Amino acid sequence: MLLIDCPFCGTRPETEFRCGGEAHIARPADPSALDDGAWAEHLFVRSNPRGLHAERWVHAHGCGRWFNAVRDTFTDRFVETYKAGEQPSHPIDDARA
Amino acid sequence: MLDRSLFARRDRPLGAAPTSNDRARVSPAPAGVRLSLRVRGAEGLSRLGLGLAINRMSAEGERFSARLGPNEWLLGAGEADLEALEAEIEAALGDRFHSVVDVSHRNVGLEISGPDAAAALNAGCPLDLGDAAFPAGSATRTLLGKAEIVLLRPTAEPLYRVECWRSFAPYVHAFLVEAARTA
Ligand SMILES: [Zn+2]
């Protein structure tokens, strides 16, 4: 079973977690100033890399907290997890191809 | 023709009787008070188990306190103890921002005990329940089969307390009885 390291509970089985998509996406400060294209970009367009990917996860059947994880989308390996509001120690822009 | 030993044994859906064996026994817990307490910034507080580490619990008599997350506690007490407990919460927290929700009617408790209790739980719970990973005083929300439960281990005895939501109770109970029978 895949184990995920919750920043609050420690290593726990994957079935207790849910994924919430890509992390570190800042909501535009003034949405009404954007045109439809830019707003659609914010809502729907994600980086979808092959390699390291920062994601939001929630320990739904545990402590109930959201946190962030860097996961390799190629190997499905969790490289690190960290609390919401923090930055990853792995640079996520050096993803393979 | 298939060898007789390859046929799966057929169990009636509701079983013949609520049986268990001596190595793993499932019993519904008596009714009690359950409060869900949320406090942001409980640092420096120690009463009511507010000083516990995450996923730890303390118990005394019918009272228990389990820290399920950074700002969430499940408190338990006997049926007659509700008002006293609420008064203690108020005294302990003073004007700190918090919420107390009475979830006594939502929760159903079960106890599973005996040398094979952990093995029976592991039929549907993916946690490591060994003494090193889940020692006395452990408490956490987790899964049992398809149902969310809170799993408490008050002491070093092989006795676990399962708390689930009321509508999940028939499923959780049947699951544990079946698991205990074959653990
Ligand atoms: Zn957690």
Side-chain angles (χ1 to χ4, degrees):
Chain A
M1 180 174 288
L2 182 61
L3 299 174
I4 299 175
D5 190 13
C6 171
F8 302 96
C9 303
T11 305
R12 303 278 292 238
E14 177 196 12
T15 51
E16 292 182 354
F17 296 84
R18 297 283 177 274
C19 183
E22 188 169 359
H24 305 298
I25 292 176
R27 183 185 168 86
D30 184 7
S32 61
L34 303 181
D35 62 25
D36 286 352
W39 184 241
E41 181 89 10
H42 162 67
L43 287 181
F44 304 121
V45 178
R46 297 294 179 260
S47 61
N48 194 28
R50 180 180 189 270
L52 297 188
H53 186 225
E55 299 170 335
R56 301 169 70 236
W57 283 78
V58 61
H59 194 184
H61 303 296
C63 63
R65 302 298 294 212
W66 286 92
F67 61 92
N68 296 326
V70 174
R71 183 178 65 94
D72 190 316
T73 59
F74 179 61
T75 62
D76 203 23
R77 199 168 76 84
F78 278 75
V79 176
E80 65 171 316
T81 55
Y82 50 101
K83 291 179 182 174
E86 296 176 355
Q87 291 296 315
S89 59
H90 288 77
I92 51 175
D93 54 359
D94 74 351
R96 287 169 303 194
Chain B
M1 222 175 101
L2 275 174
D3 190 303
R4 189 76 206 162
S5 65
L6 294 178
F7 286 119
R9 191 190 62 217
R10 201 184 306 279
D11 278 337
R12 286 181 285 161
L14 298 179
T19 52
S20 59
N21 65 42
D22 290 341
R23 299 189 59 79
R25 201 167 25 260
V26 181
S27 47
V33 164
R34 296 291 179 270
L35 301 180
S36 175
L37 171 65
R38 309 294 299 254
V39 189
R40 186 175 290 166
E43 295 81 13
L45 297 175
S46 58
R47 290 163 65 186
L48 298 165
L50 291 166
L52 290 165
I54 295 171
N55 293 334
R56 300 290 299 163
M57 70 172 295
S58 60
E60 200 185 329
E62 283 189 277
R63 286 262 189 116
F64 70 79
S65 175
R67 187 171 188 182
L68 302 180
N71 57 18
E72 180 184 5
W73 288 258
L74 179 68
L75 305 179
E79 279 284 63
D81 207 12
L82 174 61
E83 282 175 17
L85 181 56
E86 283 179 336
E88 278 181 47
I89 292 171
E90 204 148 307
L93 290 169
D95 51 9
R96 286 190 203 229
F97 184 68
H98 67 277
S99 84
V100 182
V101 178
D102 186 341
V103 295
S104 313
H105 291 290
R106 183 193 74 180
N107 275 35
V108 170
L110 295 160
E111 270 173 8
I112 178 158
S113 58
D116 288 342
L121 284 164
N122 275 147
C125 174
L127 290 184
D128 181 350
L129 298 180
D131 284 341
F134 204 78
S138 295
T140 185
R141 191 181 283 120
T142 183
L143 290 166
L144 182 84
K146 294 183 178 183
E148 184 176 284
I149 61 166
V150 170
L151 183 63
L152 308 167
R153 186 184 184 187
T155 66
E157 300 290 308
L159 186 156
Y160 298 84
R161 176 81 182 228
V162 172
E163 295 263 329
C164 65
W165 289 1
R166 189 181 178 91
S167 58
F168 297 169
Y171 169 83
V172 169
H173 183 249
F175 193 110
L176 286 175
V177 167
E178 182 64 22
R181 212 153 55 83
T182 55

Short mmCIF file of all heavy atoms in Angstrom, two decimals, chain B residues 76-129:
data_model
loop_
_atom_site.label_atom_id
_atom_site.label_comp_id
_atom_site.label_asym_id
_atom_site.label_seq_id
_atom_site.Cartn_x
_atom_site.Cartn_y
_atom_site.Cartn_z
N GLY B 76 -15.39 12.19 25.57
CA GLY B 76 -16.41 11.24 25.95
C GLY B 76 -16.67 11.28 27.44
O GLY B 76 -15.77 11.61 28.22
N ALA B 77 -17.89 10.97 27.83
CA ALA B 77 -18.25 10.96 29.25
C ALA B 77 -19.49 10.11 29.43
O ALA B 77 -20.17 9.77 28.46
CB ALA B 77 -18.49 12.38 29.76
N GLY B 78 -19.80 9.79 30.68
CA GLY B 78 -21.01 9.04 30.98
C GLY B 78 -22.25 9.89 30.74
O GLY B 78 -22.19 11.11 30.65
N GLU B 79 -23.40 9.21 30.63
CA GLU B 79 -24.65 9.88 30.28
C GLU B 79 -25.00 11.04 31.21
O GLU B 79 -25.52 12.06 30.79
CB GLU B 79 -25.81 8.87 30.30
CG GLU B 79 -25.93 8.03 29.06
CD GLU B 79 -26.53 8.79 27.89
OE1 GLU B 79 -25.91 9.77 27.45
OE2 GLU B 79 -27.59 8.39 27.42
N ALA B 80 -24.69 10.89 32.50
CA ALA B 80 -25.12 11.90 33.48
C ALA B 80 -24.10 13.03 33.61
O ALA B 80 -24.29 13.95 34.40
CB ALA B 80 -25.34 11.23 34.83
N ASP B 81 -23.04 12.96 32.82
CA ASP B 81 -21.89 13.83 33.04
C ASP B 81 -21.85 15.04 32.11
O ASP B 81 -20.92 15.85 32.16
CB ASP B 81 -20.61 12.99 32.84
CG ASP B 81 -19.44 13.53 33.63
OD1 ASP B 81 -19.66 14.40 34.48
OD2 ASP B 81 -18.31 13.09 33.36
N LEU B 82 -22.87 15.19 31.25
CA LEU B 82 -22.81 16.20 30.18
C LEU B 82 -22.63 17.61 30.72
O LEU B 82 -21.73 18.34 30.31
CB LEU B 82 -24.07 16.12 29.32
CG LEU B 82 -24.21 17.21 28.25
CD1 LEU B 82 -23.06 17.16 27.26
CD2 LEU B 82 -25.54 17.09 27.51
N GLU B 83 -23.48 17.99 31.67
CA GLU B 83 -23.43 19.37 32.13
C GLU B 83 -22.13 19.67 32.86
O GLU B 83 -21.54 20.74 32.69
CB GLU B 83 -24.64 19.68 33.02
CG GLU B 83 -25.89 19.91 32.16
CD GLU B 83 -27.15 20.11 33.00
OE1 GLU B 83 -27.01 20.40 34.21
OE2 GLU B 83 -28.24 19.98 32.43
N ALA B 84 -21.66 18.71 33.64
CA ALA B 84 -20.39 18.90 34.34
C ALA B 84 -19.25 19.07 33.36
O ALA B 84 -18.37 19.94 33.52
CB ALA B 84 -20.11 17.71 35.27
N LEU B 85 -19.26 18.26 32.30
CA LEU B 85 -18.20 18.34 31.30
C LEU B 85 -18.24 19.68 30.57
O LEU B 85 -17.20 20.32 30.34
CB LEU B 85 -18.33 17.17 30.32
CG LEU B 85 -17.29 17.08 29.20
CD1 LEU B 85 -15.87 17.05 29.77
CD2 LEU B 85 -17.53 15.85 28.33
N GLU B 86 -19.45 20.11 30.21
CA GLU B 86 -19.58 21.40 29.51
C GLU B 86 -19.08 22.55 30.38
O GLU B 86 -18.42 23.47 29.90
CB GLU B 86 -21.04 21.63 29.09
CG GLU B 86 -21.41 20.82 27.87
CD GLU B 86 -22.86 21.01 27.44
OE1 GLU B 86 -23.69 21.38 28.30
OE2 GLU B 86 -23.16 20.79 26.26
N ALA B 87 -19.39 22.46 31.67
CA ALA B 87 -18.92 23.50 32.58
C ALA B 87 -17.39 23.49 32.67
O ALA B 87 -16.75 24.56 32.72
CB ALA B 87 -19.53 23.30 33.97
N GLU B 88 -16.81 22.30 32.66
CA GLU B 88 -15.34 22.20 32.71
C GLU B 88 -14.70 22.76 31.45
O GLU B 88 -13.63 23.39 31.50
CB GLU B 88 -14.91 20.75 32.92
CG GLU B 88 -14.97 20.32 34.37
CD GLU B 88 -14.51 18.87 34.52
OE1 GLU B 88 -13.46 18.54 33.96
OE2 GLU B 88 -15.23 18.10 35.18
N ILE B 89 -15.33 22.52 30.31
CA ILE B 89 -14.80 23.07 29.06
C ILE B 89 -14.81 24.59 29.12
O ILE B 89 -13.83 25.26 28.77
CB ILE B 89 -15.63 22.58 27.85
CG1 ILE B 89 -15.44 21.07 27.66
CG2 ILE B 89 -15.25 23.33 26.59
CD1 ILE B 89 -16.38 20.46 26.64
N GLU B 90 -15.93 25.12 29.58
CA GLU B 90 -16.05 26.57 29.67
C GLU B 90 -15.00 27.16 30.61
O GLU B 90 -14.34 28.15 30.30
CB GLU B 90 -17.45 26.94 30.15
CG GLU B 90 -17.86 28.33 29.74
CD GLU B 90 -19.36 28.41 29.50
OE1 GLU B 90 -19.89 27.59 28.73
OE2 GLU B 90 -20.00 29.27 30.12
N ALA B 91 -14.80 26.47 31.75
CA ALA B 91 -13.82 26.96 32.71
C ALA B 91 -12.40 26.86 32.16
O ALA B 91 -11.57 27.74 32.38
CB ALA B 91 -13.93 26.15 34.02
N ALA B 92 -12.12 25.78 31.41
CA ALA B 92 -10.76 25.58 30.90
C ALA B 92 -10.44 26.54 29.77
O ALA B 92 -9.30 26.98 29.64
CB ALA B 92 -10.59 24.14 30.42
N LEU B 93 -11.43 26.88 28.96
CA LEU B 93 -11.15 27.66 27.75
C LEU B 93 -11.44 29.14 27.91
O LEU B 93 -10.94 29.96 27.13
CB LEU B 93 -11.94 27.09 26.57
CG LEU B 93 -11.42 25.74 26.11
CD1 LEU B 93 -12.38 25.10 25.13
CD2 LEU B 93 -10.04 25.87 25.48
N GLY B 94 -12.26 29.48 28.90
CA GLY B 94 -12.52 30.89 29.14
C GLY B 94 -13.00 31.59 27.89
O GLY B 94 -13.93 31.13 27.23
N ASP B 95 -12.33 32.69 27.51
CA ASP B 95 -12.80 33.42 26.34
C ASP B 95 -12.03 33.06 25.07
O ASP B 95 -12.08 33.78 24.08
CB ASP B 95 -12.77 34.94 26.59
CG ASP B 95 -11.41 35.37 27.10
OD1 ASP B 95 -10.49 34.54 27.09
OD2 ASP B 95 -11.29 36.54 27.51
N ARG B 96 -11.30 31.93 25.10
CA ARG B 96 -10.68 31.48 23.84
C ARG B 96 -11.76 31.04 22.86
O ARG B 96 -12.72 30.39 23.24
CB ARG B 96 -9.74 30.30 24.10
CG ARG B 96 -8.46 30.72 24.77
CD ARG B 96 -7.49 29.56 24.76
NE ARG B 96 -6.53 29.74 25.82
CZ ARG B 96 -5.21 29.63 25.64
NH1 ARG B 96 -4.73 29.33 24.46
NH2 ARG B 96 -4.38 29.81 26.64
N PHE B 97 -11.55 31.36 21.60
CA PHE B 97 -12.54 31.01 20.59
C PHE B 97 -12.58 29.48 20.41
O PHE B 97 -11.57 28.85 20.18
CB PHE B 97 -12.17 31.68 19.27
CG PHE B 97 -13.17 31.45 18.19
CD1 PHE B 97 -14.43 32.02 18.28
CD2 PHE B 97 -12.88 30.65 17.10
CE1 PHE B 97 -15.37 31.80 17.29
CE2 PHE B 97 -13.82 30.42 16.11
CZ PHE B 97 -15.06 31.00 16.20
N HIS B 98 -13.76 28.89 20.58
CA HIS B 98 -13.88 27.44 20.43
C HIS B 98 -15.31 27.06 20.07
O HIS B 98 -16.21 27.90 20.15
CB HIS B 98 -13.46 26.73 21.73
CG HIS B 98 -14.38 26.99 22.88
ND1 HIS B 98 -14.29 28.11 23.68
CD2 HIS B 98 -15.42 26.27 23.37
CE1 HIS B 98 -15.23 28.05 24.62
NE2 HIS B 98 -15.91 26.96 24.45
N SER B 99 -15.51 25.83 19.65
CA SER B 99 -16.87 25.35 19.44
C SER B 99 -17.01 23.98 20.07
O SER B 99 -16.08 23.17 20.04
CB SER B 99 -17.21 25.29 17.94
OG SER B 99 -16.75 24.10 17.37
N VAL B 100 -18.16 23.74 20.67
CA VAL B 100 -18.47 22.44 21.27
C VAL B 100 -19.77 21.96 20.64
O VAL B 100 -20.77 22.66 20.69
CB VAL B 100 -18.67 22.55 22.80
CG1 VAL B 100 -18.95 21.18 23.39
CG2 VAL B 100 -17.46 23.18 23.45
N VAL B 101 -19.73 20.79 20.00
CA VAL B 101 -20.93 20.24 19.40
C VAL B 101 -21.22 18.90 20.05
O VAL B 101 -20.34 18.04 20.14
CB VAL B 101 -20.76 20.06 17.86
CG1 VAL B 101 -22.01 19.45 17.26
CG2 VAL B 101 -20.44 21.40 17.20
N ASP B 102 -22.47 18.74 20.52
CA ASP B 102 -22.87 17.47 21.13
C ASP B 102 -23.18 16.47 20.01
O ASP B 102 -24.15 16.62 19.28
CB ASP B 102 -24.12 17.70 22.00
CG ASP B 102 -24.51 16.45 22.77
OD1 ASP B 102 -24.08 15.34 22.37
OD2 ASP B 102 -25.23 16.57 23.77
N VAL B 103 -22.31 15.48 19.85
CA VAL B 103 -22.49 14.48 18.79
C VAL B 103 -22.88 13.12 19.36
O VAL B 103 -22.70 12.09 18.72
CB VAL B 103 -21.21 14.36 17.91
CG1 VAL B 103 -20.95 15.65 17.15
CG2 VAL B 103 -20.00 13.97 18.75
N SER B 104 -23.43 13.14 20.59
CA SER B 104 -23.76 11.88 21.26
C SER B 104 -24.74 11.03 20.44
O SER B 104 -24.64 9.81 20.41
CB SER B 104 -24.40 12.16 22.62
OG SER B 104 -23.65 13.11 23.32
N HIS B 105 -25.69 11.70 19.76
CA HIS B 105 -26.67 10.94 18.97
C HIS B 105 -26.12 10.50 17.63
O HIS B 105 -26.69 9.65 16.97
CB HIS B 105 -27.93 11.79 18.76
CG HIS B 105 -28.70 12.01 20.02
ND1 HIS B 105 -29.38 11.01 20.65
CD2 HIS B 105 -28.86 13.11 20.78
CE1 HIS B 105 -29.95 11.48 21.75
NE2 HIS B 105 -29.63 12.75 21.86
N ARG B 106 -25.03 11.12 17.22
CA ARG B 106 -24.44 10.77 15.93
C ARG B 106 -23.54 9.54 16.06
O ARG B 106 -23.42 8.74 15.15
CB ARG B 106 -23.61 11.94 15.42
CG ARG B 106 -23.01 11.71 14.04
CD ARG B 106 -21.97 12.76 13.73
NE ARG B 106 -20.74 12.53 14.47
CZ ARG B 106 -19.66 13.30 14.39
NH1 ARG B 106 -19.68 14.37 13.61
NH2 ARG B 106 -18.57 13.05 15.07
N ASN B 107 -22.88 9.43 17.22
CA ASN B 107 -21.86 8.38 17.38
C ASN B 107 -22.41 7.11 17.99
O ASN B 107 -23.28 7.16 18.87
CB ASN B 107 -20.74 8.90 18.30
CG ASN B 107 -19.71 9.70 17.53
OD1 ASN B 107 -20.05 10.40 16.59
ND2 ASN B 107 -18.46 9.58 17.93
N VAL B 108 -21.91 5.99 17.52
CA VAL B 108 -22.21 4.69 18.12
C VAL B 108 -20.87 4.05 18.46
O VAL B 108 -19.94 4.08 17.65
CB VAL B 108 -23.01 3.81 17.14
CG1 VAL B 108 -23.09 2.37 17.65
CG2 VAL B 108 -24.40 4.37 16.93
N GLY B 109 -20.78 3.52 19.67
CA GLY B 109 -19.53 2.92 20.12
C GLY B 109 -19.58 1.40 20.12
O GLY B 109 -20.63 0.80 20.39
N LEU B 110 -18.47 0.79 19.78
CA LEU B 110 -18.32 -0.67 19.84
C LEU B 110 -17.00 -0.96 20.52
O LEU B 110 -16.07 -0.18 20.40
CB LEU B 110 -18.29 -1.28 18.44
CG LEU B 110 -19.54 -1.17 17.59
CD1 LEU B 110 -19.19 -1.38 16.13
CD2 LEU B 110 -20.55 -2.21 18.03
N GLU B 111 -16.95 -2.07 21.21
CA GLU B 111 -15.68 -2.49 21.78
C GLU B 111 -15.29 -3.83 21.20
O GLU B 111 -16.12 -4.71 21.04
CB GLU B 111 -15.76 -2.58 23.31
CG GLU B 111 -15.39 -1.28 23.97
CD GLU B 111 -15.62 -1.29 25.46
OE1 GLU B 111 -15.92 -2.36 26.01
OE2 GLU B 111 -15.50 -0.21 26.06
N ILE B 112 -14.01 -3.93 20.85
CA ILE B 112 -13.51 -5.21 20.35
C ILE B 112 -12.28 -5.56 21.18
O ILE B 112 -11.37 -4.74 21.33
CB ILE B 112 -13.25 -5.20 18.84
CG1 ILE B 112 -12.68 -6.53 18.38
CG2 ILE B 112 -12.39 -4.03 18.39
CD1 ILE B 112 -12.88 -6.79 16.91
N SER B 113 -12.32 -6.76 21.77
CA SER B 113 -11.28 -7.12 22.72
C SER B 113 -10.85 -8.57 22.52
O SER B 113 -11.53 -9.34 21.85
CB SER B 113 -11.79 -6.93 24.15
OG SER B 113 -12.95 -7.73 24.34
N GLY B 114 -9.74 -8.90 23.10
CA GLY B 114 -9.21 -10.26 23.00
C GLY B 114 -7.89 -10.25 22.24
O GLY B 114 -7.56 -9.29 21.57
N PRO B 115 -7.14 -11.36 22.36
CA PRO B 115 -5.81 -11.41 21.76
C PRO B 115 -5.81 -11.17 20.24
O PRO B 115 -4.82 -10.68 19.71
CB PRO B 115 -5.33 -12.84 22.06
CG PRO B 115 -6.27 -13.41 23.03
CD PRO B 115 -7.50 -12.58 23.09
N ASP B 116 -6.92 -11.50 19.55
CA ASP B 116 -6.96 -11.32 18.10
C ASP B 116 -7.74 -10.07 17.69
O ASP B 116 -8.13 -9.91 16.53
CB ASP B 116 -7.59 -12.55 17.43
CG ASP B 116 -6.65 -13.75 17.47
OD1 ASP B 116 -5.44 -13.53 17.70
OD2 ASP B 116 -7.12 -14.87 17.28
N ALA B 117 -7.97 -9.15 18.65
CA ALA B 117 -8.77 -7.96 18.34
C ALA B 117 -8.12 -7.13 17.23
O ALA B 117 -8.79 -6.68 16.30
CB ALA B 117 -8.96 -7.11 19.60
N ALA B 118 -6.80 -6.94 17.32
CA ALA B 118 -6.12 -6.14 16.30
C ALA B 118 -6.20 -6.80 14.94
O ALA B 118 -6.41 -6.14 13.92
CB ALA B 118 -4.66 -5.89 16.70
N ALA B 119 -6.07 -8.13 14.92
CA ALA B 119 -6.15 -8.84 13.64
C ALA B 119 -7.54 -8.69 13.03
O ALA B 119 -7.68 -8.51 11.82
CB ALA B 119 -5.82 -10.32 13.85
N ALA B 120 -8.57 -8.73 13.89
CA ALA B 120 -9.93 -8.57 13.38
C ALA B 120 -10.12 -7.16 12.82
O ALA B 120 -10.70 -6.97 11.75
CB ALA B 120 -10.95 -8.85 14.49
N LEU B 121 -9.63 -6.14 13.52
CA LEU B 121 -9.72 -4.76 13.01
C LEU B 121 -8.99 -4.62 11.69
O LEU B 121 -9.44 -3.93 10.77
CB LEU B 121 -9.15 -3.78 14.04
CG LEU B 121 -10.05 -3.48 15.24
CD1 LEU B 121 -9.23 -2.84 16.35
CD2 LEU B 121 -11.20 -2.56 14.83
N ASN B 122 -7.84 -5.29 11.60
CA ASN B 122 -7.04 -5.18 10.38
C ASN B 122 -7.70 -5.87 9.18
O ASN B 122 -7.22 -5.73 8.05
CB ASN B 122 -5.64 -5.73 10.60
CG ASN B 122 -4.68 -4.70 11.18
OD1 ASN B 122 -3.79 -5.03 11.94
ND2 ASN B 122 -4.88 -3.43 10.83
N ALA B 123 -8.80 -6.56 9.40
CA ALA B 123 -9.56 -7.07 8.25
C ALA B 123 -10.08 -5.91 7.41
O ALA B 123 -10.32 -6.07 6.21
CB ALA B 123 -10.72 -7.94 8.73
N GLY B 124 -10.26 -4.73 8.05
CA GLY B 124 -10.79 -3.61 7.28
C GLY B 124 -10.09 -2.30 7.55
O GLY B 124 -10.40 -1.30 6.93
N CYS B 125 -9.15 -2.29 8.50
CA CYS B 125 -8.47 -1.05 8.86
C CYS B 125 -7.01 -1.13 8.38
O CYS B 125 -6.30 -2.07 8.75
CB CYS B 125 -8.51 -0.84 10.38
SG CYS B 125 -7.56 0.59 10.91
N PRO B 126 -6.59 -0.18 7.55
CA PRO B 126 -5.25 -0.30 6.95
C PRO B 126 -4.10 0.15 7.86
O PRO B 126 -2.95 0.10 7.45
CB PRO B 126 -5.36 0.62 5.72
CG PRO B 126 -6.35 1.67 6.12
CD PRO B 126 -7.33 1.00 7.05
N LEU B 127 -4.41 0.59 9.08
CA LEU B 127 -3.33 1.06 9.95
C LEU B 127 -2.52 -0.10 10.51
O LEU B 127 -3.02 -1.20 10.69
CB LEU B 127 -3.92 1.83 11.15
CG LEU B 127 -4.55 3.18 10.88
CD1 LEU B 127 -4.96 3.80 12.21
CD2 LEU B 127 -3.59 4.10 10.15
N ASP B 128 -1.27 0.21 10.83
CA ASP B 128 -0.42 -0.72 11.58
C ASP B 128 -0.86 -0.65 13.04
O ASP B 128 -0.70 0.38 13.69
CB ASP B 128 1.04 -0.30 11.42
CG ASP B 128 1.99 -1.25 12.17
OD1 ASP B 128 1.51 -2.09 12.93
OD2 ASP B 128 3.21 -1.10 11.97
N LEU B 129 -1.46 -1.73 13.55
CA LEU B 129 -1.97 -1.73 14.93
C LEU B 129 -1.02 -2.44 15.89
O LEU B 129 -1.38 -2.75 17.02
CB LEU B 129 -3.36 -2.37 14.98
CG LEU B 129 -4.44 -1.63 14.17
CD1 LEU B 129 -5.77 -2.35 14.30
CD2 LEU B 129 -4.57 -0.18 14.61
#
